[in-house]
Amino acid sequence: MSFYKKIIDVFNQAPIAEKGSTLTSVDIVKDNERDTTYFRTLEQGGIRLNEKQIEAVRDTEGPLLIIAGAGSGKTTVLVSRIGYMLSVRNIPASDILLVTFTKKAAKEMKERIGRLPGITPKMKREIHTGTFHSIFLKILKEQGDKRKVLSNEKYKEIIIKKIFREMDVQDDYQPESILSLISYMKNQMVRPYDIEGETPIEKEFKEIYKKYETWKEDNNYLDFDDFLIETYYLLKFEPQILKYYQERFRYVMVDEFQDTSLVQYELMKLLVAPHNNFCVVGDDSQTIYGFRGAESDYILNFHKEFPTTTQVMLDINYRSIDSIVGLGNEVIKHNKRQIPKNLKSMQKSESFPMYYRPEDENEEARNVVDYIQGKVESGEKDYRDFSVIYRTHAVSRAIYDELVLRKIPFVTYGNNKLFYENTFVKPIIDILRLVENPNDEEAIISVAPVFYLKKDMVSKCLDQIAIEEELHQEPCGNRIKRVIKMLLNKVKPFQKQSLEDKLLLLQRMKEMTPLRAIQTIRDSKAFYYDKYLEMNKRKSLTFHKEMVIEILNELESSARKHNTISNYLAFIDDLLTRHKEMNELRQGENANVVKLMTIHQSKGLEFNTVFLIGLIENILPHKAALNADEQEDRVQSKKAKQKKVSKTEEAIEEERRLCYVAITRVKESLYLSAPKTHHNKAADESRFIIESLKTEDSNGAS
């Protein structure tokens, strides 16, 4: 890859992880020990555990905290530990509860347990495995809860929209954002009556939340988050029921413990008392879901909650080559609030992570796709061998565009919407559509809130225009102009001039480039789109201001390559069409496609070759984290508050964990990219690389 440089060539010292011990159960477990037979049978099945893994497997009583570093074989340890409990300790399978975060993980573990020597089909069947949600829903149902499950996201959005209409705020909030915020509140055990509602928006949210809960109650429904909080109240206030489940689940294990929310942790504490046979497996260095309520404090303070805790550190990485493990170690060691760890590697390699500073995000995208295309065309690789990982969806815009234009198959994880369909982007695109076609009814309705008009009023005007056209058997001309004229006598005096200014500006924008037109929409007195978003905090309720600005700046970056609005809209429409065609490829797990995802979505996965793009200040770490102290709505963990850790310090540590997670997904080849400019402004390399790899000259890796 000619445009990438080896880190070792650029930096004074490339971090290489120590080699892990090659000793396994073959060497460690002697022939005369009481559990020898079990470990020998594991070895026959290809499972050879290292010293720390054996320690975790053998420790079955009391609280146990397993710190499982990236790629350290935690699933193998959990499966082998359950096998040990069944085969060596003769613990009844029905006494064991294993909680996972995904159905896929629960299914995989149960299958692997079933393949262990000596495990009967009956044992496999009787072990309780499942996600938090599935297990606690089962408890509710066993205790006679007859409520239906509200699982359809679209239906939930319909309910929320109905509440919006009742409150006359239908144009002001996004239903997905409200549902996301309600979910967060429930995971933090905050009910509507717990919200003080100091600001008008907080009061509105409290009312929406309350009405949503009332609707469910009246219609006999539970949603996913209710499975947890309703079970918590059931166990908390029904001691006999709690005692029954404490005796039923005498051995409790939780996988991915670092992702646990408050309500999940509180539920576990209730269930495991008083026996405290509680084994949790996780890595505080991989706590990256703060926005969902996950906190690293639950791992960091586990020994305080359970004073007799045994801690085992799984510190040998079997996934990645030593230079990848070494880079991960160097990045994460700069976090202050963590359990110190230094992972070792079992895979020696002469290759190193590669580093590059393209001119901007568009060159970055071209270079990445050039490399992928070249390797596939030469027959060296398939598309499925490549993954592109980034901090936010906005950063992926240029890669998306490049892949779609070259007709290279790809799939995205998580958010299935194209950048141009984003909540904050679409109104601007629709204003451009009206510049080209003032009769585009869908665009007219879409931009109504930006014109400070209600969508239902605009829809009624369009219906009236359609009736008039039918009566006169001829088109009525400029629809957006007609709609505004019809509404001028229904708006406040100061709005009239504003609406007329907007109409004039739509005319003037015909001659502008798409970049200039977007800048005009954002900055001109007629639209002031940025100010509109800033003033209308409802629109960006679950987004930090910096995220919104990043998205809009990215839109400008995409428009720079196009000379006319017409060409730009044709380009976007082509992207949207091809993106829909790509949806079919999502169905196949082993489809020959490039994988694109945010770092959050990459968690738990592993890849041979990864491009980590946008490795610059204000992206990773994100500007929202760097400005955390100024954000009144940013939630901070209780422990951080008690220790007087600032919001910014806490946020940057989570950003560093994100960087660590991205690096540790990689088995062999990692390409790091830090554009010199971003959105037409000079960009600095991410501090996470600078602080980890000391440069000899002042130009660093430039």
Side-chain angles (χ1 to χ4, degrees), residues 566-579:
S566 176
N567 287 343
Y568 186 43
L569 291 174
F571 164 76
I572 290 170
D573 289 338
D574 188 32
L575 286 177
L576 290 167
T577 301
R578 293 191 194 176
H579 184 67

Side-chain angles (χ1 to χ4, degrees), residues 224-239:
F224 278 174
D225 297 305
D226 292 328
F227 301 171
L228 307 180
I229 201 159
E230 293 290 332
T231 309
Y232 173 79
Y233 288 127
L234 173 72
L235 299 181
K236 182 79 175 171
F237 298 111
E238 297 287 348

Side-chain angles (χ1 to χ4, degrees), residues 371-383 385-386:
Y371 182 73
I372 292 171
Q373 201 166 28
K375 288 293 182 184
V376 172
E377 287 174 359
S378 70
E380 293 177 63
K381 300 272 187 181
D382 290 323
Y383 289 125
D385 296 322
F386 299 102

Side-chain angles (χ1 to χ4, degrees), residues 630-643:
E630 299 163 25
Q631 294 157 1
E632 292 177 17
D633 58 341
R634 181 180 280 271
V635 181
Q636 191 177 21
S637 74
K638 290 176 184 174
K639 293 290 180 186
K641 278 182 187 174
Q642 288 167 3
K643 294 187 176 180

Side-chain angles (χ1 to χ4, degrees), residues 456-514:
D456 58 348
M457 287 169 62
V458 171
S459 293
K460 284 172 187 173
C461 289
L462 288 169
D463 290 343
Q464 191 175 330
I465 290 168
I467 291 166
E468 287 176 17
E469 284 183 336
E470 198 170 322
L471 284 172
H472 296 99
Q473 293 293 301
E474 61 180 39
C476 290
N478 189 316
R479 270 179 170 71
I480 181 66
K481 194 172 182 180
R482 288 289 308 280
V483 167
I484 287 177
K485 282 191 173 180
M486 291 168 75
L487 292 172
L488 278 178
N489 63 342
K490 296 181 182 177
V491 298
K492 293 172 183 175
F494 74 89
Q495 282 183 277
K496 290 182 181 181
Q497 188 60 52
S498 174
L499 288 170
E500 288 171 352
D501 289 347
K502 286 179 172 67
L503 273 180
L504 281 172
L505 199 52
L506 287 177
Q507 288 290 326
R508 283 177 43 215
M509 282 196 283
K510 282 177 183 277
E511 308 305 318
M512 295 181 187
T513 64

Side-chain angles (χ1 to χ4, degrees), residues 187-236:
N187 273 281
Q188 292 299 99
M189 303 178 75
V190 176
R191 306 311 295 263
Y193 48 78
D194 297 317
I195 299 170
E196 291 181 13
E198 293 176 2
T199 68
I201 290 175
E202 284 175 359
K203 287 174 185 172
E204 271 181 358
F205 171 70
K206 178 176 182 173
E207 188 63 20
I208 293 166
Y209 186 4
K210 195 164 101 179
K211 284 178 179 289
Y212 174 65
E213 294 301 299
T214 301
W215 184 93
K216 284 189 298 154
E217 195 176 321
D218 292 345
N219 291 275
N220 206 33
Y221 273 108
L222 284 167
D223 66 22
F224 278 174
D225 297 305
D226 292 328
F227 301 171
L228 307 180
I229 201 159
E230 293 290 332
T231 309
Y232 173 79
Y233 288 127
L234 173 72
L235 299 181
K236 182 79 175 171

